[in-house]
Amino acid sequence: MGDLGDYLNPNNLDFNDEHDVVVRRQGFSNRQAGRTNGTTNPGQQRPQNGPPVTANSNMPSNNAPAAFPVTAGPVDDTMSVGGNSLPEPMKLFFIEDNAKLGVKGNMMPLAATPAMVDVAEWLAHQTVEQYRVLENFIQVIQEFFEGKKICNLETCPTMSAGRHITYTWLNNEGKPIRVPACQYIMLVQRWVVSKIHDPSAFPTDSPFGTSTASFEASYPSNLTASSSQRPIPAGPTTLNRTLSDLSGRDWFGKAAGFPEAFLSDVRTAWRQMFRIYAHLYHGHYLEPFWHLKNACNNLNSAFCFFASVGKLYGLLGERDLEPMLPLINIWVANGSIPAECASGAQSIVQ
C-alpha cells in the first residue's frame, strides 16, 4: 500500500483561508462534469482485477432502488443496537492523543452560510463537497491487499460500527436486512451520486434565470401599448394571512428552487455518510489508516469538519452520532468543533 497522499491531497479538503464559496449552482454542474464516472474522481482509477464479490441471496440487487427511512429516531429500523454481549474494547481513535487534526484554524467560517447565499444552496454545496472528500477515504479501503480488497466479505460481513451497532438496508419489501459493509457502502454511493446528479433533486439552474425577453414573450401577442388594453392594477387588499399562506405551501429551499423533498434527501445523505465514517473508524482505523502516513490526521480533519457542519444545521441527531460520540466530545471540549456547531446554532426545523 502506498502513502495516503496518493489518494488525498490536503489541499483538496477545502480547509484553507481562501475557501471558495460557490454562490450559484453552476459550480455543482462543473464538479459533476469533472467526474470520470459516478463514483470516481478524475485521476483516480480503481483496480479492475481481484476476486469478485459474491452476493448473499438476501442481498438487494445492485440496480435496486435505495430505500432509506426519511425520519430519524429511536425506532429507526436501519440501525440495531446490541446483539453482542462482549464488551467493546477501548478504541485508539477515542484517545485524545490520537484525535489530532491535520489542519489548523477555526472551522466555523467554513461551516457557516456565507453572506448573500441561500442556506439551502449552501447545504447543497456542502453535501456535494463532503461526499467528494469521503469518497477518497472509501477508495482507500477498496484497494487490494494480498489479493483481496481491504474491506471485504470476510473482514466486514456486516455494516457495523463496533460490536454493538449494525446498520441494515431496507430491501424492496421495506424490510431491514444485513448486508456486507462493502455492499452497503456501494449502495450508499449509488444513492448519493444519483441524487446530486439529478437536476430534479439538486437543481443546477437558477430559479431566477428568466430573461426580460422571455418574460415579455410570455404575454399574448395581441397585447399592445394601447392604454385601453394595458392591465389595470387591482386596488389594495387587507392582508390578514401570512405571505407563505398566500403563495401556497412552503418548504425549506423553495425560494432557491429546491424541491420539497430536498431537506429530507440532504439529511438522509448526511446520515448515511456518517455511517460510512463510523465504519471507517471502527472497522479500518488500524488497517489501513494507522499504517499510512498522515492518514489518521487527515481522516480526523475530514470527519471533524463533517461533524461540525452536520451538528451546526441539525442534520445529524444524537442517536446518529452515538458510535462516534467519544471522539466528537473530545473535539467539542478542545474547540476543534466550534461551540456554535456543537449547540446546533443554525439547526433547520421543518
Side-chain angles (χ1 to χ4, degrees):
M1 275 178 284
D3 190 335
L4 186 66
D6 296 336
Y7 308 93
L8 283 177
N9 182 334
N11 295 328
N12 290 338
L13 294 179
D14 288 342
F15 294 130
N16 55 73
D17 294 333
E18 299 177 356
H19 183 61
D20 181 29
V21 175
V22 179
V23 178
R24 284 262 28 111
R25 262 162 275 160
Q26 183 60 41
F28 301 154
S29 299
N30 293 340
R31 281 193 297 277
Q32 292 168 8
R35 297 181 185 272
T36 56
N37 57 50
T39 59
T40 305
N41 286 335
Q44 296 172 329
Q45 297 297 323
R46 294 181 184 170
Q48 298 300 316
N49 58 334
V53 175
T54 303
N56 184 290
S57 59
N58 291 325
M59 187 182 299
S61 166
N62 291 347
N63 298 321
F68 293 117
V70 296
T71 58
V75 294
D76 184 351
D77 59 2
T78 65
M79 172 178 171
S80 59
V81 180
N84 192 327
S85 59
L86 294 176
E88 188 78 66
M90 181 62 184
K91 303 288 186 175
L92 287 176
F93 47 85
F94 288 156
I95 299 175
E96 189 168 2
D97 286 345
N98 295 329
K100 298 176 182 178
L101 307 182
V103 295
K104 296 181 180 180
N106 184 3
M107 290 190 180
M108 188 61 193
L110 305 181
T113 307
M116 308 301 293
V117 176
D118 185 89
V119 179
E121 189 81 66
W122 182 241
L123 289 188
H125 166 76
Q126 284 288 350
T127 302
V128 173
E129 289 300 292
Q130 293 286 353
Y131 175 75
R132 179 182 64 82
V133 172
L134 173 60
E135 190 177 52
N136 289 288
F137 293 104
I138 293 174
Q139 289 180 5
V140 175
I141 65 171
Q142 290 175 339
E143 279 292 290
F144 282 89
F145 181 69
E146 296 182 349
K148 295 182 179 181
K149 289 185 178 181
I150 296 172
C151 184
N152 58 65
L153 298 176
E154 296 176 4
T155 61
C156 307
T158 62
M159 181 63 176
S160 60
R163 291 178 176 174
H164 305 296
I165 294 180
T166 300
Y167 302 117
T168 55
W169 189 272
L170 298 182
N171 65 11
N172 293 335
E173 288 77 39
K175 297 179 180 179
I177 60 173
R178 296 190 177 193
V179 297
C182 56
Q183 179 79 2
Y184 188 103
I185 292 172
M186 180 193 66
L187 291 170
V188 171
Q189 287 184 278
R190 290 186 176 184
W191 188 89
V192 173
V193 168
S194 70
K195 284 295 180 181
I196 63 179
H197 283 252
D198 181 359
S200 67
F202 275 58
T204 57
D205 296 326
S206 169
F208 309 110
T210 306
S211 66
T212 303
S214 61
F215 180 77
E216 291 176 347
S218 65
Y219 277 88
S221 58
N222 62 351
L223 186 60
T224 68
S226 169
S227 60
S228 62
Q229 292 179 312
R230 288 175 184 168
I232 300 174
T237 60
T238 301
L239 191 63
N240 54 12
R241 295 194 307 174
T242 64
L243 290 176
S244 60
D245 286 342
L246 291 172
S247 62
R249 294 179 58 216
D250 196 13
W251 60 80
F252 176 80
K254 180 180 180 180
F258 289 93
E260 188 171 359
F262 172 71
L263 182 58
S264 174
D265 286 341
V266 167
R267 283 178 169 154
T268 296
W270 281 73
R271 186 165 63 249
Q272 297 301 331
M273 287 192 287
F274 173 88
R275 293 177 177 186
I276 295 177
Y277 269 118
H279 180 72
L280 291 177
Y281 275 97
H282 285 272
H284 299 286
Y285 186 78
L286 289 177
E287 182 59 56
F289 293 104
W290 182 265
H291 301 289
L292 295 173
K293 183 180 178 181
N294 298 324
C296 293
N297 287 353
N298 284 338
L299 180 62
N300 285 344
S301 299
F303 180 58
C304 183
F305 184 50
F306 175 85
S308 296
V309 177
K311 288 179 69 66
L312 177 64
Y313 297 100
L315 303 177
L316 298 168
E318 289 303 310
R319 179 175 170 80
D320 299 320
L321 299 171
E322 181 181 336
M324 298 301 299
L325 267 181
L327 179 58
I328 291 173
N329 289 338
I330 290 174
W331 289 333
V332 170
N334 66 22
S336 296
I337 293 181
E340 299 95 325
C341 295
S343 64
Q346 299 180 31
S347 292
I348 301 165
V349 180
Q350 178 172 302

